[in-house]
């Protein structure tokens, strides 16, 4: 017999039992494992409580019988509680969720079922209280976890879109391939598109299909991870550079059952790297073709760079140059050092775009040369 059946049976017999003897009342009260109370509807004083109520709330039976139902209710809840219980007239049942205070001060949430009684002309009420604090806390925790998961998924989606990064899974047992929305976007197919493993590999440019095919095969057969940068041809014939990262997932027996990984659009990164390479190559060729000594000073790291002109003009091979600004300062003629330092320092401190000065600089063989320094 479950709790509700116990309570129904108690409700059927409690009124005649209470009118017969206290012993019979105790017998029916204490067969229910959750708190039961009987209180006077006029005075609100407790008339009886079962053992479960004594054990759960921490008050002795004597203490309960000297209290009213308001004494276990937070003060701010009393008005609403009385209004709710007023609907539990003779033969009627009212219910709701209320807060109760235990003797130790802890506040719990209880699901109340109150049934009106007539005890020989004395209006009373039988109350069944089920502690649902644990359930509510579990629901609250679940709701918070769901909200946190949704927030995490949102952040992951935003990060994936910003980094052009998606995920994929190949289920070997089910023979399925799953792409995240971002991976679908890179391939110019609708979100939720599910390719076969063969068609997924065929999106790679022909010259790279063997490489990715072998990498996937080794990952499935022996669990070997891979990290490759290859080109794909999308469904709309766009050519993209992608980074494909994969690793194996093993079952309890160590067999590879899935491979999964990340997929990132590297097209813009590679374009940027190529533009930087071309820019550096052009600068290198320009500085090499010039008879001037070109230099760069990083004031944060105090590092210094010269082009090949420093050897052409001043005779210093690269392996003899100490890459700091002090090397330059030491090479200036002592009679020109203070004036040169003042010009450069003033330009830096004033925020000027440039400076220009002339001074003598020591050649590797010891003689000084007049130079025009524009910085």
């Amino acid at each position: 017999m479950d709790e509700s059946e116990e309570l129904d049976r108690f409700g059927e017999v409690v009124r005649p039992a209470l009118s017969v003897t206290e012993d019979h009342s105790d017998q029916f009260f204490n067969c229910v494992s959750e708190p039961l109370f009987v209180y006077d509807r006029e005075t609100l004083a407790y008339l009886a409580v079962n053992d479960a109520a004594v054990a759960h709330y921490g008050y002795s039976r004597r203490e309960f019988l000297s209290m009213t139902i308001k004494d276990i209710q937070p003060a701010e809840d009393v008005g609403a509680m009385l209004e709710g219980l007023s609907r539990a007239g003779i033969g009627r049942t009212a219910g709701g969720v209320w807060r109760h205070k235990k003797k130790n001060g802890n506040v719990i949430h209880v699901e109340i079922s109150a049934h009106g009684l007539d005890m020989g002309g004395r209006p009373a009420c039988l109350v069944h209280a089920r502690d649902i604090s644990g359930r509510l806390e579990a629901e609250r925790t679940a709701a918070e976890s769901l909200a946190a998961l949704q927030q995490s998924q949102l952040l992951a989606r935003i990060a994936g879109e910003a980094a052009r990064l998606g995920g994929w899974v190949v289920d070997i047992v089910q023979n399925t391939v799953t792409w995240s929305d971002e991976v679908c976007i890179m391939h110019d197919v609708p979100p939720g598109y599910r390719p076969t493993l063969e068609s997924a590999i065929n999106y790679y440019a022909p010259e790279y299909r063997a490489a990715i095919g072998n990498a996937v095969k080794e990952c499935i057969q022996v669990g070997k991870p891979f990290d490759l940068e290859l080109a794909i041809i999308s469904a709309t014939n766009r050519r993209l550079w992608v980074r494909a990262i994969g690793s194996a997932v093993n079952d309890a027996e160590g067999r590879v059952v899935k491979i999964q990984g990340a997929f990132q659009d590297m097209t813009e990164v590679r374009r940027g790297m190529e533009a930087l390479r071309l820019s550096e190559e052009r600068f290198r060729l320009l500085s090499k073709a010039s008879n001037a000594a070109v230099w760069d000073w990083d004031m944060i790291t105090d590092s210094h760079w010269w082009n090949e002109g420093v050897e052409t003009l001043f005779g210093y091979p690269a392996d003899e140059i100490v890459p700091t600004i002090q090397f330059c300062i030491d090479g200036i003629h002592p009679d020109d050092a203070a004036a040169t330092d003042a010009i450069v320092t003033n330009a830096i401190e004033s925020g000027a775009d440039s400076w220009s000065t002339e001074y003598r600089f020591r050649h590797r063989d010891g003689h000084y040369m007049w130079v025009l320094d524009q910085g």
Side-chain angles (χ1 to χ4, degrees), residues 259-280:
I259 62 172
Q260 62 187 17
F263 199 79
Q264 186 173 21
D265 185 347
M266 302 295 291
T267 307
E268 292 302 320
V269 174
R270 289 182 70 97
R271 285 175 181 167
M273 292 173 62
E274 179 63 12
L276 178 61
R277 186 192 67 79
L278 290 174
S279 176
E280 291 177 341

Side-chain angles (χ1 to χ4, degrees), residues 37-173:
F37 311 93
V38 176
Y39 72 90
D40 188 308
R41 292 187 61 200
E42 294 181 352
T43 65
L44 305 181
Y46 286 108
L47 302 177
V49 296
N50 71 347
D51 290 346
V54 171
H56 198 70
Y57 284 78
Y59 296 102
S60 68
R61 183 169 276 102
R62 181 185 295 274
E63 287 175 317
F64 263 122
L65 298 181
S66 67
M67 297 161 57
T68 72
I69 61 173
K70 295 189 292 184
D71 294 328
I72 65 167
Q73 200 86 20
E76 60 271 25
D77 295 354
V78 171
M81 180 268 296
L82 294 177
E83 181 181 352
L85 293 179
S86 68
R87 294 190 291 271
I90 302 300
R92 296 201 308 269
T93 300
V97 176
W98 305 102
R99 295 190 303 168
H100 278 177
K101 292 188 301 183
K102 292 186 175 184
K103 185 176 181 179
N104 63 9
N106 290 345
V107 175
I108 60 174
H109 287 81
V110 293
E111 192 173 58
I112 292 294
S113 178
H115 188 81
L117 302 175
D118 181 1
M119 297 178 60
R122 185 180 187 182
C125 195
L126 167 67
V127 176
H128 170 233
R130 172 170 291 165
D131 190 341
I132 60 171
S133 300
R135 188 188 80 194
L136 294 180
E137 177 63 19
E139 291 173 353
R140 183 190 66 80
T141 301
E144 290 179 350
S145 297
L146 177 60
L149 175 60
Q150 291 172 336
Q151 179 71 10
S152 177
Q153 291 173 336
L154 174 62
L155 293 175
R157 180 177 62 80
I158 293 173
E161 291 174 355
R164 299 303 307 274
L165 178 68
W168 56 268
V169 177
V170 176
D171 190 317
I172 300 168
V173 177

Side-chain angles (χ1 to χ4, degrees), residues 306-317:
W306 294 73
N307 73 336
E308 291 88 342
V310 71
E311 181 172 4
T312 303
L313 291 180
F314 305 118
Y316 292 96

Side-chain angles (χ1 to χ4, degrees), residues 102-329:
K102 292 186 175 184
K103 185 176 181 179
N104 63 9
N106 290 345
V107 175
I108 60 174
H109 287 81
V110 293
E111 192 173 58
I112 292 294
S113 178
H115 188 81
L117 302 175
D118 181 1
M119 297 178 60
R122 185 180 187 182
C125 195
L126 167 67
V127 176
H128 170 233
R130 172 170 291 165
D131 190 341
I132 60 171
S133 300
R135 188 188 80 194
L136 294 180
E137 177 63 19
E139 291 173 353
R140 183 190 66 80
T141 301
E144 290 179 350
S145 297
L146 177 60
L149 175 60
Q150 291 172 336
Q151 179 71 10
S152 177
Q153 291 173 336
L154 174 62
L155 293 175
R157 180 177 62 80
I158 293 173
E161 291 174 355
R164 299 303 307 274
L165 178 68
W168 56 268
V169 177
V170 176
D171 190 317
I172 300 168
V173 177
Q174 301 296 327
N175 194 27
T176 60
V177 178
T178 302
W179 283 351
S180 71
D181 289 351
E182 193 62 33
V183 174
C184 291
I185 291 171
M186 293 180 213
H187 286 81
D188 291 328
V189 295
Y193 176 76
R194 302 287 293 272
T196 63
L197 181 56
E198 181 181 2
S199 64
I201 290 177
N202 283 338
Y203 274 102
Y204 285 87
E207 63 269 30
Y208 295 115
R209 288 174 191 163
I212 189 65
N214 290 334
V216 169
K217 182 179 179 180
E218 289 186 339
C219 192
I220 292 174
Q221 292 181 343
V222 298
K224 181 180 178 180
F226 60 88
D227 186 344
L228 303 171
E229 283 195 22
L230 310 168
I232 65 168
I233 308 297
S234 78
T236 60
N237 210 36
R238 290 190 306 135
R239 186 181 179 93
L240 290 81
W241 280 96
V242 299
R243 182 182 181 189
I245 305 171
S247 60
V249 178
N250 302 88
D251 64 10
E253 285 73 37
R255 295 171 298 191
V256 177
V257 293
K258 294 180 182 179
I259 62 172
Q260 62 187 17
F263 199 79
Q264 186 173 21
D265 185 347
M266 302 295 291
T267 307
E268 292 302 320
V269 174
R270 289 182 70 97
R271 285 175 181 167
M273 292 173 62
E274 179 63 12
L276 178 61
R277 186 192 67 79
L278 290 174
S279 176
E280 291 177 341
E281 178 67 10
R282 292 179 185 128
F283 178 76
R284 186 186 67 81
L285 292 173
L286 179 63
S287 64
K288 187 174 183 179
S290 172
N291 289 325
V294 181
W295 58 271
D296 177 271
W297 174 29
D298 186 328
M299 291 184 287
I300 302 299
T301 63
D302 196 30
S303 59
H304 204 277
W305 170 87
W306 294 73
N307 73 336
E308 291 88 342
V310 71
E311 181 172 4
T312 303
L313 291 180
F314 305 118
Y316 292 96
D319 59 2
E320 291 187 11
I321 297 175
V322 181
T324 66
I325 193 64
Q326 192 62 43
F327 172 83
C328 302
I329 294 173

